[in-house]
Coordinates of all heavy atoms in Angstrom, one line a residue:
M1191 N -4.0 6.9 -23.4 CA -3.3 6.2 -22.3 C -4.1 6.1 -21.1 O -4.8 7.1 -20.7 CB -2.0 7.0 -22.0 CG -1.1 6.3 -21.0 SD 0.5 7.1 -20.9 CE 0.1 8.4 -19.8
R1192 N -4.1 4.9 -20.4 CA -4.9 4.7 -19.2 C -4.2 5.3 -18.0 O -3.0 5.1 -17.9 CB -5.2 3.2 -19.1 CG -6.0 2.9 -17.8 CD -6.2 1.5 -17.6 NE -6.7 1.3 -16.3 CZ -7.0 0.1 -15.7 NH1 -6.8 -1.0 -16.4 NH2 -7.4 0.1 -14.5
T1193 N -4.9 5.9 -17.1 CA -4.3 6.3 -15.9 C -4.9 5.6 -14.7 O -6.1 5.1 -14.8 CB -4.5 7.8 -15.6 OG1 -5.9 8.1 -15.6 CG2 -3.8 8.7 -16.7
T1194 N -4.2 5.3 -13.7 CA -4.7 4.6 -12.5 C -4.1 5.1 -11.2 O -3.1 5.8 -11.2 CB -4.4 3.1 -12.7 OG1 -5.0 2.3 -11.7 CG2 -2.9 2.8 -12.7
Q1195 N -4.8 4.7 -10.1 CA -4.3 5.2 -8.8 C -3.2 4.3 -8.3 O -2.3 4.8 -7.6 CB -5.4 5.2 -7.8 CG -6.5 6.3 -8.1 CD -7.7 6.2 -7.2 OE1 -8.6 5.4 -7.5 NE2 -7.6 6.8 -6.1
V1196 N -3.2 3.0 -8.6 CA -2.3 2.0 -8.1 C -1.8 1.1 -9.1 O -2.6 0.6 -9.9 CB -3.0 1.2 -6.9 CG1 -2.0 0.2 -6.3 CG2 -3.6 2.1 -5.9
A1197 N -0.5 0.9 -9.2 CA 0.1 -0.2 -10.0 C 0.6 -1.3 -9.2 O 1.4 -1.1 -8.2 CB 1.2 0.4 -10.9
I1198 N 0.2 -2.5 -9.5 CA 0.6 -3.7 -8.7 C 1.5 -4.5 -9.6 O 1.1 -4.9 -10.7 CB -0.7 -4.5 -8.3 CG1 -1.6 -3.6 -7.4 CG2 -0.3 -5.8 -7.6 CD1 -2.9 -4.2 -7.2
I1199 N 2.7 -4.9 -9.1 CA 3.6 -5.7 -9.9 C 3.4 -7.2 -9.5 O 3.6 -7.6 -8.4 CB 5.1 -5.3 -9.6 CG1 5.3 -3.8 -9.7 CG2 6.0 -6.1 -10.5 CD1 5.0 -3.2 -11.1
G1200 N 2.9 -8.0 -10.5 CA 2.8 -9.4 -10.3 C 1.3 -9.9 -10.2 O 0.6 -9.4 -9.3
A1201 N 0.9 -10.8 -11.0 CA -0.4 -11.3 -11.0 C -0.5 -12.7 -10.3 O -1.1 -13.6 -10.7 CB -1.0 -11.4 -12.4
G1202 N 0.3 -12.8 -9.2 CA 0.2 -13.9 -8.3 C -1.0 -13.8 -7.4 O -1.8 -12.8 -7.5
P1203 N -1.2 -14.7 -6.5 CA -2.3 -14.5 -5.5 C -2.4 -13.2 -4.8 O -3.4 -12.6 -4.6 CB -2.1 -15.7 -4.6 CG -1.3 -16.7 -5.3 CD -0.4 -15.9 -6.3
S1204 N -1.2 -12.7 -4.4 CA -1.1 -11.5 -3.6 C -1.6 -10.3 -4.5 O -2.4 -9.5 -4.0 CB 0.3 -11.2 -3.1 OG 0.7 -12.3 -2.3
G1205 N -1.0 -10.2 -5.7 CA -1.4 -9.1 -6.5 C -2.8 -9.1 -7.0 O -3.5 -8.0 -7.0
L1206 N -3.3 -10.2 -7.3 CA -4.7 -10.3 -7.8 C -5.7 -10.1 -6.7 O -6.7 -9.4 -6.9 CB -5.0 -11.7 -8.5 CG -4.2 -12.0 -9.8 CD1 -4.4 -13.4 -10.2 CD2 -4.6 -11.0 -10.8
L1207 N -5.4 -10.6 -5.5 CA -6.3 -10.4 -4.4 C -6.3 -8.9 -4.0 O -7.3 -8.3 -3.7 CB -6.0 -11.3 -3.2 CG -6.9 -11.2 -2.0 CD1 -8.4 -11.5 -2.4 CD2 -6.4 -12.1 -0.9
L1208 N -5.1 -8.3 -3.9 CA -5.0 -6.9 -3.6 C -5.8 -6.0 -4.6 O -6.6 -5.1 -4.2 CB -3.5 -6.4 -3.6 CG -3.3 -4.9 -3.4 CD1 -3.9 -4.5 -2.0 CD2 -1.8 -4.6 -3.4
S1209 N -5.7 -6.3 -5.9 CA -6.4 -5.6 -6.9 C -7.9 -5.7 -6.7 O -8.7 -4.7 -6.8 CB -6.0 -6.1 -8.3 OG -6.8 -5.4 -9.3
Q1210 N -8.4 -6.9 -6.3 CA -9.8 -7.2 -6.1 C -10.3 -6.4 -4.9 O -11.3 -5.8 -4.9 CB -10.0 -8.7 -5.9 CG -11.4 -9.1 -5.5 CD -12.5 -8.9 -6.6 OE1 -12.2 -8.6 -7.7 NE2 -13.7 -9.2 -6.2
L1211 N -9.5 -6.4 -3.8 CA -9.9 -5.7 -2.6 C -9.9 -4.2 -2.8 O -10.8 -3.5 -2.4 CB -8.9 -6.1 -1.4 CG -9.0 -7.5 -0.9 CD1 -7.8 -7.8 0.0 CD2 -10.3 -7.8 -0.2
L1212 N -8.9 -3.7 -3.6 CA -8.9 -2.3 -3.9 C -10.2 -1.9 -4.7 O -10.8 -0.9 -4.5 CB -7.6 -1.9 -4.6 CG -6.4 -1.9 -3.8 CD1 -5.1 -1.7 -4.7 CD2 -6.4 -0.8 -2.7
S1213 N -10.5 -2.8 -5.7 CA -11.6 -2.5 -6.6 C -12.9 -2.4 -5.7 O -13.7 -1.5 -6.0 CB -11.7 -3.6 -7.6 OG -12.9 -3.5 -8.3
R1214 N -13.1 -3.3 -4.8 CA -14.3 -3.3 -4.0 C -14.3 -2.1 -3.1 O -15.4 -1.7 -2.6 CB -14.4 -4.6 -3.1 CG -14.7 -5.8 -4.0 CD -14.6 -7.1 -3.2 NE -15.6 -7.3 -2.2 CZ -16.8 -7.9 -2.5 NH1 -17.1 -8.3 -3.7 NH2 -17.7 -8.0 -1.5
A1215 N -13.1 -1.5 -2.8 CA -13.1 -0.3 -2.0 C -13.1 1.0 -2.9 O -13.0 2.1 -2.4 CB -11.8 -0.2 -1.2
G1216 N -13.4 0.8 -4.2 CA -13.5 1.9 -5.1 C -12.2 2.5 -5.6 O -12.2 3.7 -6.0
I1217 N -11.1 1.8 -5.4 CA -9.8 2.3 -5.8 C -9.3 1.5 -7.1 O -9.2 0.3 -7.1 CB -8.8 2.1 -4.6 CG1 -9.2 2.8 -3.4 CG2 -7.4 2.5 -5.1 CD1 -8.5 2.5 -2.1
D1218 N -9.1 2.3 -8.1 CA -8.7 1.7 -9.4 C -7.2 1.3 -9.3 O -6.4 1.9 -8.6 CB -8.9 2.8 -10.5 CG -8.6 2.2 -11.9 OD1 -9.2 1.1 -12.2 OD2 -7.8 2.8 -12.6
S1219 N -6.9 0.1 -10.0 CA -5.6 -0.3 -10.0 C -5.3 -1.1 -11.3 O -6.2 -1.4 -12.1 CB -5.3 -1.3 -8.8 OG -6.0 -2.5 -9.0
I1220 N -4.0 -1.2 -11.6 CA -3.6 -2.0 -12.8 C -2.6 -3.1 -12.3 O -1.8 -2.7 -11.5 CB -3.1 -1.2 -13.9 CG1 -2.8 -2.0 -15.2 CG2 -1.8 -0.4 -13.5 CD1 -2.6 -1.2 -16.4
V1221 N -2.7 -4.3 -12.8 CA -1.8 -5.4 -12.4 C -0.8 -5.6 -13.6 O -1.3 -5.9 -14.7 CB -2.5 -6.7 -12.1 CG1 -1.5 -7.8 -11.7 CG2 -3.5 -6.4 -11.0
L1222 N 0.5 -5.4 -13.4 CA 1.5 -5.6 -14.4 C 2.2 -7.0 -14.2 O 2.7 -7.2 -13.1 CB 2.5 -4.5 -14.3 CG 2.0 -3.1 -14.5 CD1 3.1 -2.1 -14.2 CD2 1.3 -2.9 -15.8
E1223 N 2.1 -7.9 -15.2 CA 2.6 -9.2 -15.1 C 3.6 -9.5 -16.2 O 3.3 -9.2 -17.4 CB 1.5 -10.2 -15.0 CG 1.8 -11.7 -15.1 CD 2.8 -12.2 -14.0 OE1 2.5 -11.9 -12.9 OE2 3.8 -12.7 -14.4
R1224 N 4.7 -10.1 -15.9 CA 5.7 -10.4 -17.0 C 5.4 -11.7 -17.7 O 5.9 -11.8 -18.9 CB 7.1 -10.4 -16.4 CG 7.4 -11.5 -15.4 CD 8.8 -11.4 -14.8 NE 9.0 -12.3 -13.7 CZ 10.0 -12.3 -12.9 NH1 11.0 -11.4 -13.1 NH2 10.1 -13.1 -11.9
Q1225 N 4.7 -12.6 -17.1 CA 4.3 -13.8 -17.8 C 3.0 -13.6 -18.6 O 2.3 -12.7 -18.4 CB 4.1 -14.9 -16.8 CG 5.3 -15.2 -15.9 CD 6.4 -16.0 -16.7 OE1 6.3 -16.4 -17.8 NE2 7.6 -16.2 -16.0
S1226 N 2.7 -14.6 -19.5 CA 1.5 -14.5 -20.3 C 0.3 -14.8 -19.4 O 0.4 -15.5 -18.4 CB 1.5 -15.4 -21.5 OG 1.5 -16.8 -21.0
R1227 N -0.9 -14.4 -19.8 CA -2.2 -14.8 -19.1 C -2.3 -16.3 -19.1 O -2.7 -16.9 -18.0 CB -3.4 -14.2 -19.9 CG -4.7 -14.6 -19.3 CD -5.9 -14.0 -20.1 NE -6.0 -12.5 -19.9 CZ -6.7 -12.0 -18.9 NH1 -7.3 -12.7 -18.1 NH2 -6.7 -10.7 -18.7
E1228 N -2.0 -17.0 -20.2 CA -2.1 -18.5 -20.2 C -1.2 -19.1 -19.1 O -1.5 -20.0 -18.5 CB -1.7 -19.0 -21.6 CG -2.7 -18.6 -22.7 CD -2.7 -17.2 -23.1 OE1 -1.6 -16.5 -22.9 OE2 -3.8 -16.6 -23.5
H1229 N 0.0 -18.5 -19.0 CA 1.0 -19.1 -18.0 C 0.4 -18.9 -16.6 O 0.4 -19.8 -15.8 CB 2.3 -18.4 -18.1 CG 3.3 -18.8 -17.1 ND1 4.2 -19.8 -17.3 CD2 3.6 -18.3 -15.9 CE1 4.9 -20.0 -16.2 NE2 4.6 -19.0 -15.3
V1230 N -0.1 -17.7 -16.3 CA -0.6 -17.4 -15.0 C -1.8 -18.3 -14.6 O -1.9 -18.8 -13.6 CB -0.9 -15.9 -14.8 CG1 -1.7 -15.6 -13.5 CG2 0.4 -15.1 -14.9
Q1231 N -2.7 -18.4 -15.6 CA -3.9 -19.1 -15.3 C -3.7 -20.6 -15.3 O -4.5 -21.4 -14.7 CB -5.0 -18.8 -16.4 CG -5.5 -17.4 -16.2 CD -6.6 -17.0 -17.2 OE1 -6.7 -17.6 -18.3 NE2 -7.4 -16.0 -16.9
G1232 N -2.6 -21.1 -16.0 CA -2.4 -22.5 -16.0 C -1.6 -23.1 -14.9 O -1.5 -24.3 -14.7
R1233 N -1.0 -22.2 -14.1 CA -0.1 -22.8 -13.0 C -1.0 -22.9 -11.7 O -1.9 -22.1 -11.5 CB 1.1 -21.9 -12.7 CG 0.7 -20.6 -12.1 CD 1.9 -19.6 -12.1 NE 1.4 -18.3 -11.7 CZ 2.1 -17.2 -11.7 NH1 3.4 -17.3 -11.9 NH2 1.5 -16.1 -11.3
I1234 N -0.7 -23.9 -11.0 CA -1.4 -24.2 -9.7 C -0.5 -23.6 -8.6 O 0.6 -23.9 -8.4 CB -1.6 -25.7 -9.5 CG1 -2.5 -26.2 -10.6 CG2 -2.2 -25.9 -8.1 CD1 -2.8 -27.7 -10.5
R1235 N -1.1 -22.6 -7.8 CA -0.4 -22.0 -6.8 C -0.8 -22.4 -5.4 O -0.1 -22.1 -4.4 CB -0.6 -20.4 -6.9 CG -0.1 -19.9 -8.2 CD 1.3 -20.2 -8.5 NE 2.3 -19.3 -8.1 CZ 3.6 -19.5 -8.1 NH1 4.0 -20.6 -8.5 NH2 4.4 -18.5 -7.7
A1236 N -1.9 -23.1 -5.3 CA -2.2 -23.6 -3.9 C -3.2 -24.7 -4.1 O -4.3 -24.6 -4.6 CB -2.8 -22.5 -3.1
G1237 N -2.8 -25.9 -3.5 CA -3.8 -27.0 -3.5 C -4.5 -27.0 -2.2 O -5.6 -27.7 -2.0
L1238 N -4.0 -26.3 -1.2 CA -4.5 -26.3 0.2 C -4.6 -24.9 0.7 O -3.6 -24.2 0.7 CB -3.7 -27.2 1.1 CG -4.1 -27.4 2.5 CD1 -5.4 -28.2 2.5 CD2 -3.0 -28.1 3.3
L1239 N -5.8 -24.5 1.1 CA -5.9 -23.1 1.6 C -6.3 -23.2 3.1 O -7.2 -24.0 3.5 CB -7.0 -22.3 0.9 CG -6.7 -22.1 -0.6 CD1 -7.9 -21.4 -1.2 CD2 -5.5 -21.2 -0.8
E1240 N -5.7 -22.4 3.9 CA -6.0 -22.3 5.3 C -7.4 -21.5 5.4 O -7.7 -20.8 4.5 CB -4.9 -21.6 6.1 CG -3.7 -22.4 6.1 CD -2.9 -22.3 7.4 OE1 -3.4 -21.8 8.4 OE2 -1.8 -22.9 7.4
W1241 N -8.1 -21.8 6.5 CA -9.4 -21.2 6.7 C -9.5 -19.7 6.6 O -10.4 -19.1 6.1 CB -10.1 -21.7 7.9 CG -11.6 -21.4 7.9 CD1 -12.3 -20.6 8.7 CD2 -12.5 -21.9 6.9 NE1 -13.6 -20.5 8.3 CE2 -13.8 -21.3 7.2 CE3 -12.5 -22.8 5.9 CZ2 -14.9 -21.6 6.5 CZ3 -13.6 -23.1 5.2 CH2 -14.8 -22.5 5.5
G1242 N -8.4 -19.1 7.2 CA -8.4 -17.6 7.2 C -8.3 -17.1 5.8 O -8.9 -16.0 5.4
T1243 N -7.6 -17.8 4.9 CA -7.5 -17.4 3.5 C -8.8 -17.6 2.8 O -9.3 -16.7 2.0 CB -6.4 -18.3 2.8 OG1 -5.2 -18.1 3.5 CG2 -6.3 -17.8 1.3
V1244 N -9.5 -18.7 3.1 CA -10.8 -18.9 2.5 C -11.8 -17.8 2.9 O -12.5 -17.3 2.1 CB -11.4 -20.3 3.1 CG1 -12.8 -20.5 2.7 CG2 -10.5 -21.4 2.5
E1245 N -11.8 -17.4 4.2 CA -12.6 -16.3 4.6 C -12.3 -15.0 3.9 O -13.2 -14.2 3.5 CB -12.5 -16.1 6.1 CG -13.2 -17.3 6.9 CD -13.0 -17.1 8.4 OE1 -12.0 -16.6 8.9 OE2 -14.0 -17.6 9.1
L1246 N -11.0 -14.7 3.7 CA -10.6 -13.5 3.0 C -11.1 -13.5 1.6 O -11.6 -12.5 1.0 CB -9.1 -13.4 3.1 CG -8.5 -12.1 2.5 CD1 -9.1 -10.8 3.1 CD2 -7.0 -12.1 2.6
L1247 N -11.0 -14.7 0.9 CA -11.4 -14.8 -0.5 C -12.9 -14.6 -0.5 O -13.4 -14.0 -1.5 CB -11.1 -16.2 -1.0 CG -9.6 -16.4 -1.3 CD1 -9.3 -17.9 -1.7 CD2 -9.0 -15.5 -2.4
N1248 N -13.7 -15.1 0.4 CA -15.1 -14.9 0.5 C -15.4 -13.4 0.6 O -16.3 -12.9 0.0 CB -15.8 -15.7 1.6 CG -15.8 -17.2 1.2 OD1 -15.8 -17.6 0.1 ND2 -15.8 -18.1 2.2
E1249 N -14.7 -12.8 1.6 CA -14.9 -11.3 1.8 C -14.6 -10.5 0.5 O -15.3 -9.5 0.2 CB -14.0 -10.8 2.9 CG -14.5 -11.2 4.3 CD -13.4 -10.9 5.3 OE1 -12.6 -9.9 5.1 OE2 -13.4 -11.6 6.4
A1250 N -13.7 -11.0 -0.3 CA -13.3 -10.3 -1.5 C -14.2 -10.6 -2.6 O -14.1 -10.1 -3.7 CB -11.9 -10.7 -1.9
G1251 N -15.2 -11.5 -2.4 CA -16.2 -11.8 -3.4 C -15.8 -12.8 -4.5 O -16.4 -12.9 -5.6
V1252 N -14.7 -13.5 -4.2 CA -14.3 -14.5 -5.2 C -14.4 -15.9 -4.7 O -13.7 -16.8 -5.2 CB -12.8 -14.2 -5.7 CG1 -12.8 -12.9 -6.4 CG2 -11.8 -14.2 -4.5
G1253 N -15.2 -16.1 -3.6 CA -15.3 -17.4 -3.0 C -16.1 -18.4 -3.9 O -15.8 -19.6 -3.9
A1254 N -17.1 -17.9 -4.6 CA -18.1 -18.8 -5.2 C -17.4 -19.7 -6.3 O -17.7 -20.9 -6.4 CB -19.2 -18.0 -5.9
A1255 N -16.4 -19.1 -7.0 CA -15.8 -19.8 -8.1 C -15.0 -21.0 -7.6 O -15.2 -22.1 -8.2 CB -14.9 -18.9 -8.9
W1256 N -14.2 -20.8 -6.6 CA -13.4 -22.0 -6.2 C -14.2 -22.9 -5.3 O -13.9 -24.1 -5.2 CB -12.2 -21.5 -5.4 CG -12.4 -20.8 -4.1 CD1 -12.5 -19.5 -3.9 CD2 -12.7 -21.4 -2.9 NE1 -12.8 -19.2 -2.6 CE2 -12.9 -20.4 -2.0 CE3 -12.8 -22.8 -2.4 CZ2 -13.2 -20.7 -0.6 CZ3 -13.1 -23.0 -1.1 CH2 -13.3 -22.0 -0.2
C1257 N -15.3 -22.4 -4.7 CA -16.1 -23.3 -3.8 C -16.7 -24.5 -4.5 O -16.9 -25.5 -4.0 CB -17.2 -22.5 -3.1 SG -17.1 -22.4 -1.4
T1258 N -17.0 -24.3 -5.8 CA -17.6 -25.4 -6.6 C -16.6 -26.5 -6.8 O -17.0 -27.6 -7.2 CB -18.1 -24.8 -7.9 OG1 -17.0 -24.3 -8.7 CG2 -19.2 -23.8 -7.8
M1259 N -15.3 -26.2 -6.7 CA -14.2 -27.1 -7.0 C -13.6 -27.7 -5.7 O -12.8 -28.6 -5.8 CB -13.1 -26.5 -7.9 CG -13.6 -25.9 -9.2 SD -12.3 -25.2 -10.1 CE -12.1 -23.6 -9.2
A1260 N -13.9 -27.1 -4.6 CA -13.2 -27.4 -3.4 C -13.7 -28.6 -2.6 O -14.9 -28.9 -2.6 CB -13.2 -26.1 -2.5
L1261 N -12.8 -29.2 -1.9 CA -13.1 -30.2 -0.9 C -12.7 -29.6 0.4 O -11.6 -29.3 0.6 CB -12.3 -31.5 -1.2 CG -12.3 -32.6 -0.1 CD1 -13.8 -33.1 0.0 CD2 -11.3 -33.7 -0.4
I1262 N -13.7 -29.4 1.3 CA -13.4 -28.8 2.6 C -13.2 -29.9 3.6 O -14.0 -30.7 3.9 CB -14.6 -27.9 3.0 CG1 -14.8 -26.8 1.9 CG2 -14.4 -27.3 4.4 CD1 -16.0 -25.9 2.2
L1263 N -12.0 -29.8 4.2 CA -11.6 -30.8 5.2 C -11.8 -30.2 6.6 O -11.4 -29.1 6.8 CB -10.1 -31.1 5.0 CG -9.7 -31.7 3.6 CD1 -8.2 -31.9 3.5 CD2 -10.4 -33.0 3.4
R1264 N -12.4 -30.9 7.4 CA -12.5 -30.5 8.8 C -11.6 -31.3 9.7 O -11.7 -32.5 9.7 CB -14.0 -30.6 9.2 CG -14.9 -29.8 8.4 CD -16.2 -29.4 9.1 NE -17.1 -28.6 8.3 CZ -16.9 -27.3 8.1 NH1 -16.0 -26.7 8.7 NH2 -17.8 -26.7 7.3
L1265 N -10.8 -30.6 10.4 CA -9.8 -31.3 11.3 C -10.6 -31.7 12.6 O -11.5 -31.1 13.0 CB -8.7 -30.4 11.7 CG -7.8 -29.9 10.5 CD1 -6.8 -28.9 11.0 CD2 -7.1 -31.1 9.9
P1266 N -10.1 -32.8 13.2 CA -10.7 -33.2 14.5 C -10.6 -32.1 15.5 O -9.7 -31.3 15.5 CB -9.9 -34.4 14.9 CG -9.2 -34.9 13.7 CD -9.0 -33.7 12.8
A1267 N -11.6 -32.1 16.5 CA -11.6 -31.1 17.5 C -10.2 -31.1 18.2 O -9.6 -32.1 18.5 CB -12.7 -31.4 18.5
G1268 N -9.7 -29.9 18.5 CA -8.5 -29.7 19.2 C -7.3 -29.5 18.3 O -6.2 -29.0 18.7
I1269 N -7.5 -29.8 17.0 CA -6.4 -29.5 16.0 C -6.8 -28.3 15.2 O -7.9 -28.4 14.5 CB -6.2 -30.8 15.1 CG1 -5.8 -32.0 15.9 CG2 -5.2 -30.5 14.0 CD1 -5.7 -33.2 15.2
T1270 N -6.1 -27.3 15.3 CA -6.5 -26.0 14.6 C -5.7 -25.9 13.3 O -6.1 -25.1 12.4 CB -6.2 -24.8 15.4 OG1 -4.8 -24.7 15.6 CG2 -6.9 -24.9 16.8
G1271 N -4.6 -26.5 13.1 CA -3.9 -26.3 11.9 C -2.8 -25.2 12.0 O -2.0 -25.0 11.1
S1272 N -2.9 -24.4 13.1 CA -1.9 -23.4 13.3 C -0.7 -23.9 13.9 O -0.7 -25.0 14.6 CB -2.4 -22.2 14.1 OG -3.6 -22.4 14.6
T1273 N 0.4 -23.2 13.8 CA 1.7 -23.6 14.4 C 2.0 -22.8 15.6 O 1.6 -21.7 15.7 CB 2.9 -23.5 13.3 OG1 2.9 -22.2 12.8 CG2 2.7 -24.5 12.2
Ligands
FAD2586 C1 4.5 -26.0 -6.3 C2 3.9 -25.1 -5.3 C3 2.8 -25.5 -4.5 C4 2.3 -24.6 -3.6 N1 1.2 -25.1 -2.8 C5 0.6 -24.2 -2.0 C6 -0.5 -24.7 -1.2 O1 -1.0 -25.8 -1.3 N2 -1.1 -23.8 -0.4 C7 -0.6 -22.5 -0.2 O2 -1.2 -21.8 0.6 N3 0.5 -22.1 -0.9 C8 1.1 -22.9 -1.7 N4 2.2 -22.5 -2.4 C9 2.7 -21.2 -2.2 C10 1.9 -20.1 -3.0 O3 2.0 -20.5 -4.3 C11 2.6 -18.8 -2.7 O4 2.5 -18.5 -1.4 C12 1.9 -17.7 -3.5 O5 2.0 -18.0 -4.9 C13 2.6 -16.4 -3.3 O6 1.9 -15.4 -4.0 P1 2.5 -14.1 -4.5 O7 1.5 -13.4 -5.3 O8 3.1 -13.4 -3.3 O9 3.8 -14.5 -5.4 P2 3.8 -15.3 -6.8 O10 2.7 -16.4 -6.8 O11 5.2 -15.7 -6.9 O12 3.5 -14.3 -7.9 C14 4.3 -13.2 -8.2 C15 4.0 -12.8 -9.7 O13 4.8 -11.7 -10.0 C16 5.3 -11.8 -11.3 N5 6.5 -10.9 -11.3 C17 7.6 -11.0 -10.5 N6 8.4 -10.1 -10.8 C18 7.8 -9.3 -11.8 C19 8.2 -8.1 -12.4 N7 9.4 -7.5 -12.2 N8 7.4 -7.6 -13.3 C20 6.2 -8.2 -13.6 N9 5.8 -9.3 -13.0 C21 6.6 -9.9 -12.1 C22 5.6 -13.3 -11.4 O14 5.7 -13.7 -12.8 C23 4.4 -13.9 -10.7 O15 3.3 -14.1 -11.6 C24 2.8 -23.3 -3.4 C25 3.9 -22.9 -4.2 C26 4.4 -23.7 -5.1 C27 5.6 -23.3 -6.0

């Protein structure tokens, strides 16, 4: 039986990113997901990412994979995208 320090419920963006950040900090975790791997990998959860999210993904070491597929939009000066 496997033991772990942290159990994360749900392999959505929050759970997977948390697991990755914990791993980089040397903390073992397991992600428990009720759907199949195919279901999770096949669904699209975000077509548009805010820049803060992009920076966080880069810090987590998972930026390279999506960067090859991404179209980076730059807003005109004065428009930040925040509300
Ligand atoms: C159609 C659509 C388009 C979107 N487009 C964008 C976008 O362009 N940009 C953007 O930033 N955001 C977008 N979003 C929002 C984004 O998908 C959510 O903010 C994000 O998925 C939330 O992540 P999460 O990990 O918190 O939750 P979720 O993605 O909902 O993941 C939760 C996971 O936990 C699992 N789970 C739940 N309960 C249990 C349980 N009891 N046991 C085991 N597993 C469980 C679920 O099966 C699921 O896989 C979109 C959402 C939808 C639906």
Side-chain angles (χ1 to χ4, degrees):
M1191 187 171 79
R1192 181 182 165 183
T1193 60
T1194 185
Q1195 291 172 272
V1196 180
I1198 298 168
I1199 310 299
S1204 304
L1206 293 176
L1207 183 57
L1208 175 59
S1209 178
Q1210 173 71 4
L1211 291 171
L1212 288 172
S1213 173
R1214 287 171 72 89
I1217 300 170
D1218 186 51
S1219 69
I1220 187 169
V1221 181
L1222 303 174
E1223 170 58 51
R1224 64 182 169 191
Q1225 302 283 356
S1226 69
R1227 175 180 289 271
E1228 292 71 30
H1229 176 88
V1230 170
Q1231 290 180 336
R1233 70 187 169 187
I1234 295 175
R1235 301 307 266 169
L1238 183 67
L1239 296 175
E1240 297 219 5
W1241 192 248
T1243 304
V1244 170
E1245 289 179 326
L1246 184 58
L1247 290 172
N1248 285 335
E1249 284 171 28
V1252 294
W1256 67 263
C1257 241
T1258 59
M1259 302 177 283
L1261 171 65
I1262 298 176
L1263 301 175
R1264 298 206 181 278
L1265 296 174
I1269 300 176
T1270 63
S1272 8
T1273 53

